[in-house]
Amino acid sequence: MSGEGRRLPGQADPWRGLRRFTDARIALGRVGGSQPTEAVLDFRLAHAQARDAVHRALDVDALCARLAPLGLPVLRAASRAPDRANYLQRPDLGRVLAPEAAARLAGEPSAGYDVVFVLGDGLSSLAVERHAPSLLEAVLTPLRTQGWCIGPLVVAEQARVALGDEVGQALNASLVVVLIGERPGLSSPDSLGVYLTYAPRPGRLNSERNCISNVRPEGLPCSTAAHKLVYLLAAARSRRLTGVALKDDAPIQIDAGISPTLPDES
């Protein structure tokens, strides 16, 4: 054995200093031919947190209470997936409103909203509960300043992204924004995804949406995500489209404390 790549007892691990830059599992060390007990236990904990995030039910009452100060009506909805097990096994059911929810939304006033926001549990209800209210608060202020007509907030259970298309159409909205929990990773059980679709209607393709991903303090901070979302909303309204034809050309925002601003729509 040449000993290449092996460290002598007491020798510092040259990779360890890089761990402060990432949550990825690097420089875990080893004990003989195995990983250290601490690394093994951390992995099992992260895996358990990811599983819990997928199966955890959305606390609708608590979320609605946090949304109340935003000053918009809050509506409740659900997909055709009757429970979590069906939701995970039948993604198609999560893309369609339950009949009673569709009827309820159809009875709402359709004032020709510029934008409607849908908050769906997706694959991590934890993400929506933790980050969606803060993101909305940061986005609504500049939109109101510019006179946007904003529809009610819709909290949807057992929801997939495409559920927003039906909600947006029912409320006669020009744009729908779906805030939804992303598939948990082993270091990110609470990542929030944001999907923007112009002229929402059932049958829209994913290529017709824009996505802002990994919204959370350890990923893309809410203030930065709000900056991007407000920019994309204004650009989408101006160009009357979303998706692959709409690029995120928003100026890079390094200071997370800067309030989002609207671009010139002229």
Side-chain angles (χ1 to χ4, degrees), residues 113-143:
Y113 300 114
D114 292 322
V115 62
V116 163
F117 292 89
V118 179
L119 293 77
D121 45 8
L123 290 170
S124 173
S125 60
L126 199 62
V128 181
E129 293 175 10
R130 285 182 176 177
H131 311 311
S134 300
L135 179 61
L136 277 172
E137 184 178 8
V139 167
L140 292 179
T141 299
L143 293 184

Side-chain angles (χ1 to χ4, degrees), residues 23 42 92 104 112 142 146 184 190 224 245 256 259:
D23 292 330
D42 284 346
D92 56 314
R104 190 180 314 122
Q146 293 293 320
D190 62 342
T224 305
S259 298

Side-chain angles (χ1 to χ4, degrees), residues 74-190:
V74 180
L75 307 177
R76 301 187 183 197
S79 75
R80 293 194 181 186
D83 51 43
R84 204 60 179 165
N86 275 278
Y87 173 81
L88 295 174
Q89 296 171 14
R90 292 283 306 274
D92 56 314
L93 297 180
R95 302 184 182 110
V96 184
L97 283 169
E100 56 274 21
R104 190 180 314 122
L105 292 178
E108 289 291 322
S110 55
Y113 300 114
D114 292 322
V115 62
V116 163
F117 292 89
V118 179
L119 293 77
D121 45 8
L123 290 170
S124 173
S125 60
L126 199 62
V128 181
E129 293 175 10
R130 285 182 176 177
H131 311 311
S134 300
L135 179 61
L136 277 172
E137 184 178 8
V139 167
L140 292 179
T141 299
L143 293 184
R144 283 168 166 154
T145 300
Q146 293 293 320
W148 282 59
C149 180
I150 305 169
L153 305 175
V154 180
V155 176
E157 294 179 89
Q158 317 296 3
R160 301 275 176 176
V161 173
L163 192 76
D165 297 335
E166 193 174 351
V167 174
Q169 185 184 53
L171 296 176
N172 191 24
S174 297
L175 287 153
V176 67
V177 177
V178 179
L179 313 179
I180 193 165
E182 295 180 339
R183 185 185 304 277
L186 287 177
S187 59
S188 55
D190 62 342

Side-chain angles (χ1 to χ4, degrees), residues 35-104:
Q35 292 182 338
T37 300
E38 180 182 1
V40 173
L41 294 177
D42 284 346
F43 177 85
R44 290 180 177 176
L45 175 61
H47 188 254
Q49 289 174 331
R51 288 177 58 89
D52 287 348
V54 169
H55 292 282
R56 182 178 180 274
L58 178 66
D59 190 340
V60 177
D61 290 338
L63 180 58
C64 290
R66 289 194 62 192
L67 297 175
L70 298 179
L72 290 170
V74 180
L75 307 177
R76 301 187 183 197
S79 75
R80 293 194 181 186
D83 51 43
R84 204 60 179 165
N86 275 278
Y87 173 81
L88 295 174
Q89 296 171 14
R90 292 283 306 274
D92 56 314
L93 297 180
R95 302 184 182 110
V96 184
L97 283 169
E100 56 274 21
R104 190 180 314 122

